[in-house]
Amino acid sequence: EFGTEEQKERYLPRMAAARDLWCQGWSEPDAGSDLAGITSRAERDPEAAGWRLTGQKTWTTRGAFCTHLFGLFRTDPAAGRHRGLTYFLVPLDAEGVTVRGVGRLDGDEGFAEVFLDDVFVPDSDVLGGVDQGWSVAMATTSSERGLRLRSPGRFTAAVDRLVDLGRR
């Protein structure tokens, strides 16, 4: 499990109330699905107790409708491919963030490109520790894939039981 108590107190109630909607900022134009090949970077800003993010995320599902992005950025360019990555929590209304929806044939902006130009993120919005982003990302994909591999019937049965309980 990742996240500080302060992060949980700040974000979880807003997520549960659907006041904050999050999108995943992993894919990049030059990396495609090669997550370890990302080039968006984060540079330490010691005077401001935080980081400056620069780069582009693409194919960000529902990004045009979200308020926040969680994503990986390269914090140590000299480190190996799966090292030197840090997971950041980024408000999409921060100065320097540009979100551009990608229209689909049905007119819905189902995806977005997110451009980050010297975006400040405080130390408190690092998730899982500096240069520990690969571990956080793998935990995220394990959870995501685990949910998708489970039988939808199991969830339907749980909903049916809850509705029945509510009726009684």
Side-chain angles (χ1 to χ4, degrees):
E1 182 175 310
F2 295 96
T4 64
E5 287 306 313
E6 186 236 331
Q7 288 169 333
K8 292 174 187 173
E9 287 176 21
R10 185 169 27 141
Y11 290 121
L12 290 180
R14 296 185 57 82
M15 291 170 79
R19 286 191 299 252
D20 291 345
L21 303 175
W22 292 75
C23 58
Q24 184 175 353
W26 286 8
S27 297
E28 295 185 3
D30 294 329
S33 62
D34 178 14
L35 186 56
I38 65 167
T39 59
S40 290
R41 67 185 188 281
E43 294 180 1
R44 186 85 179 104
D45 184 342
E47 293 177 21
W51 299 83
R52 297 284 174 179
L53 308 182
T54 303
Q56 178 184 352
K57 301 298 180 176
T58 192
W59 299 116
T60 306
T61 305
R62 309 307 286 168
F65 308 103
C66 290
T67 59
H68 291 74
L69 173 141
F70 58 89
L72 282 171
F73 292 81
R74 189 148 304 278
T75 44
D76 183 357
R81 286 175 36 83
H82 299 90
R83 302 182 192 284
L85 299 169
T86 301
Y87 213 93
F88 288 92
L89 307 174
V90 184
L92 291 177
D93 64 354
E95 186 176 332
V97 174
T98 302
V99 179
R100 183 182 309 145
V102 177
R104 298 184 313 193
L105 288 176
D106 65 1
D108 182 30
E109 293 180 335
F111 298 94
E113 296 176 291
V114 179
F115 300 88
L116 302 108
D117 183 20
D118 197 38
V119 176
F120 177 75
V121 176
D123 288 332
S124 61
D125 282 341
V126 169
L127 186 65
V130 175
D131 295 334
Q132 300 302 309
W134 189 257
S135 297
V136 179
M138 293 304 97
T140 302
T141 58
S142 296
S143 173
E144 178 183 83
R145 290 178 183 153
L147 290 173
R148 291 192 180 169
L149 293 175
R150 293 187 182 132
S151 167
R154 191 169 121 196
F155 296 110
T156 303
V159 169
D160 290 342
R161 287 193 304 273
L162 285 171
V163 168
D164 183 53
L165 179 64
R167 286 184 181 139
R168 284 190 273 139

